[in-house]
Amino acid sequence: AAAAAAAVPKKTTKQQLLATFHLFTRDARMSLLVPIIFYAGFEQSWAWGSFTKDFISIHLDSRWVGYVMVVFGVSDALASLALGKLSDRVGRFYLLLGGLMLQAAVGIFCLTYTPAKYEYAAVLPLAVAWGIGDGILNTLLSALLGAFWAGDSEPAFANLKLWQSLAMALGLGLSAGLGKDKAEDLRIQIYVLLSALVVSVVCLVLLHRRESVDTGTAKFSVARKTRTGDGYTVVDQFNGDDGDDDDDDISGGGRYR
């Protein structure tokens, strides 16, 4: 194994950059995932920037920023832990869509409702909901990249970090560059955030349709486990009838676990 690894030529920095760029421009799946990845970075910058500066510090107190973000982080972690079994039961597409809709609800709430001072019952649930949505996005995006490009995942994850980091930088820069009216700053940030979210939902639906219709299989599908004669468990990603009389439980897209 060590000899085989040594025989594989190491890519130069230029080759790695070209591979990352070519994957984005030549693979429709990555082209559709990039807006979702970009949104995932932007929503994190909003959580750590405008949400703390223009919402928590106003409606609670600046001393509560740390406590509220602890709630956000714990919710994020618990959501990530629960996604393994949930994705098998529900499917990645519906979980991703649910995460986006959850964050859309938080954004709309922040636009339309002004909590009273120290109204913890209004602020803390927002941190919980945003943390759950963030956990869904980051966990399942990584899982999708690993599923789509299992043979050569480096360019895929390079795109993930490139676009996510760019979005975070732009989001934090926007938050820092706005005026001193915190309420107006919050509205502008949320409008930009919701616009990116709408684009992400459209791209997610298009990607799901493309994978389901064009290939007959879907990495978003509900994974099903079946037992084969040799005792192995096949985790099936099939999402429809394969057109033959074989048992679809062990049709294309399965992998051994």
Side-chain angles (χ1 to χ4, degrees), residues 17-60:
L17 290 173
L18 287 175
T20 301
F21 177 74
H22 287 163
L23 183 63
F24 165 59
T25 57
R26 298 179 181 179
D27 193 319
R29 295 172 301 177
M30 181 55 73
S31 299
L32 290 170
L33 277 170
V34 162
I36 308 172
I37 293 171
F38 190 90
Y39 169 77
F42 196 84
E43 60 89 7
Q44 287 185 55
S45 73
W46 184 82
W48 293 101
S50 185
F51 183 59
T52 59
K53 176 173 66 77
D54 302 327
F55 195 83
I56 300 174
S57 61
I58 291 178
H59 300 299
L60 294 182

Side-chain angles (χ1 to χ4, degrees), residues 188-255:
I188 293 173
Q189 285 267 46
I190 293 176
Y191 284 133
V192 174
L193 190 73
L194 292 178
S195 299
L197 191 149
V198 170
V199 174
S200 297
V201 170
V202 171
C203 290
L204 180 64
V205 172
L206 291 175
L207 179 62
H208 179 59
R209 287 179 57 84
R210 179 187 183 279
E211 288 300 299
S212 300
V213 175
D214 292 352
T215 67
T217 61
K219 303 298 182 183
F220 293 114
S221 63
V222 178
R224 294 174 294 175
K225 296 182 180 179
T226 58
R227 182 70 61 180
T228 61
D230 56 7
Y232 287 99
T233 298
V234 175
V235 181
D236 179 30
Q237 296 286 353
F238 190 71
N239 193 37
D241 187 6
D242 58 1
D244 57 28
D245 295 329
D246 296 334
D247 184 2
D248 286 340
D249 283 342
I250 55 174
S251 57
R255 66 186 186 276

Side-chain angles (χ1 to χ4, degrees), residues 112-127:
T112 57
Y113 181 79
T114 303
K117 189 69 173 180
Y118 298 114
E119 190 176 349
Y120 305 104
V123 177
L124 293 178
L126 298 181

